[in-house]
Amino acid sequence: MNKPGYANQEFWIRLVFMLIYWCLLNLALTVFGFLVVITTIVKFASKCELSSLTYWVRSTGVFVKQIVSFLSFSTEEKPFPFQPWSDKDGE
Protein backbone atom coordinates (compact mmCIF):
# COMPACT_ATOMS: atom_id res chain seq x y z
CA MET A 1 0.00 0.00 0.00
CA ASN A 2 1.34 3.46 -0.92
CA LYS A 3 1.89 6.09 1.71
CA PRO A 4 0.04 9.41 1.32
CA GLY A 5 2.05 12.36 0.07
CA TYR A 6 2.54 13.98 3.46
CA ALA A 7 4.21 10.81 4.78
CA ASN A 8 6.86 10.95 2.07
CA GLN A 9 10.09 12.81 2.96
CA GLU A 10 10.51 13.97 -0.66
CA PHE A 11 7.16 15.76 -0.38
CA TRP A 12 8.42 17.89 2.53
CA ILE A 13 11.72 18.64 0.82
CA ARG A 14 9.89 19.74 -2.32
CA LEU A 15 7.55 21.87 -0.20
CA VAL A 16 10.53 23.71 1.30
CA PHE A 17 12.01 24.30 -2.16
CA MET A 18 8.62 25.48 -3.42
CA LEU A 19 8.43 28.08 -0.65
CA ILE A 20 11.96 29.27 -1.41
CA TYR A 21 11.25 29.47 -5.15
CA TRP A 22 7.95 31.26 -4.50
CA CYS A 23 9.91 34.00 -2.71
CA LEU A 24 12.49 34.05 -5.52
CA LEU A 25 9.65 34.30 -8.07
CA ASN A 26 8.36 37.46 -6.42
CA LEU A 27 11.84 38.96 -6.45
CA ALA A 28 12.47 37.88 -10.06
CA LEU A 29 9.16 39.39 -11.22
CA THR A 30 10.07 42.69 -9.58
CA VAL A 31 13.48 42.70 -11.27
CA PHE A 32 11.86 41.68 -14.56
CA GLY A 33 9.38 44.55 -14.30
CA PHE A 34 12.14 47.10 -13.67
CA LEU A 35 14.16 45.74 -16.58
CA VAL A 36 11.15 45.96 -18.89
CA VAL A 37 10.53 49.58 -17.88
CA ILE A 38 14.20 50.50 -18.36
CA THR A 39 14.30 48.71 -21.73
CA THR A 40 11.18 50.55 -22.86
CA ILE A 41 12.62 53.92 -21.83
CA VAL A 42 15.93 53.21 -23.57
CA LYS A 43 14.19 52.11 -26.79
CA PHE A 44 11.90 55.14 -26.66
CA ALA A 45 14.67 57.65 -25.97
CA SER A 46 17.28 56.35 -28.40
CA LYS A 47 17.60 54.31 -31.54
CA CYS A 48 20.30 52.05 -30.16
CA GLU A 49 19.59 48.74 -28.51
CA LEU A 50 21.51 47.62 -25.49
CA SER A 51 22.21 43.95 -26.11
CA SER A 52 23.23 43.35 -22.50
CA LEU A 53 19.92 44.78 -21.25
CA THR A 54 17.98 42.66 -23.73
CA TYR A 55 19.94 39.61 -22.57
CA TRP A 56 19.00 40.22 -18.93
CA VAL A 57 15.32 40.76 -19.75
CA ARG A 58 15.23 37.54 -21.78
CA SER A 59 17.15 35.43 -19.27
CA THR A 60 15.10 36.74 -16.33
CA GLY A 61 11.95 35.82 -18.25
CA VAL A 62 13.30 32.30 -18.79
CA PHE A 63 14.11 32.05 -15.08
CA VAL A 64 10.53 33.08 -14.20
CA LYS A 65 9.21 30.45 -16.62
CA GLN A 66 11.38 27.77 -15.03
CA ILE A 67 10.16 28.68 -11.54
CA VAL A 68 6.52 28.61 -12.62
CA SER A 69 7.04 25.20 -14.23
CA PHE A 70 8.56 23.89 -11.00
CA LEU A 71 5.84 25.38 -8.79
CA SER A 72 3.05 24.01 -10.98
CA PHE A 73 4.53 20.48 -10.88
CA SER A 74 5.17 20.57 -14.65
CA THR A 75 8.77 19.59 -14.00
CA GLU A 76 10.79 18.13 -11.16
CA GLU A 77 13.95 20.02 -12.17
CA LYS A 78 14.78 22.89 -9.87
CA PRO A 79 15.75 26.14 -11.61
CA PHE A 80 18.95 28.13 -11.04
CA PRO A 81 21.17 27.56 -8.97
CA PHE A 82 20.51 23.83 -9.44
CA GLN A 83 20.48 24.30 -13.22
CA PRO A 84 22.83 26.56 -15.18
CA TRP A 85 21.61 30.09 -15.90
CA SER A 86 19.95 29.85 -19.29
CA ASP A 87 21.07 31.85 -22.31
CA LYS A 88 18.35 30.46 -24.56
CA ASP A 89 14.70 31.46 -24.95
CA GLY A 90 13.00 28.17 -24.18
CA GLU A 91 15.23 26.65 -21.53
Side-chain angles (χ1 to χ4, degrees):
M1 183 151 60
N2 291 336
K3 293 181 182 181
Y6 60 84
N8 190 349
Q9 183 180 5
E10 291 177 13
F11 169 81
W12 294 106
I13 292 171
R14 182 179 173 97
L15 183 65
V16 169
F17 277 111
M18 288 179 72
L19 290 172
I20 292 169
Y21 276 114
W22 180 77
C23 293
L24 285 175
L25 176 64
N26 288 311
L27 180 64
L29 285 173
T30 302
V31 170
F32 182 76
F34 283 126
L35 289 173
V36 167
V37 169
I38 291 170
T39 303
T40 303
I41 291 170
V42 167
K43 287 192 177 210
F44 179 74
S46 67
K47 295 183 182 206
C48 68
E49 285 192 34
L50 298 175
S51 60
S52 61
L53 188 59
T54 304
Y55 163 78
W56 282 107
V57 171
R58 184 176 299 124
S59 62
T60 305
V62 171
F63 180 60
V64 167
K65 179 184 174 217
Q66 290 173 344
I67 292 176
V68 169
S69 294
F70 179 72
L71 292 178
S72 65
F73 293 95
S74 295
T75 183
E76 292 294 321
E77 294 180 9
K78 296 174 197 75
F80 180 81
F82 296 97
Q83 301 292 325
W85 187 263
S86 180
D87 293 339
K88 300 177 184 173
D89 288 331
E91 296 181 20

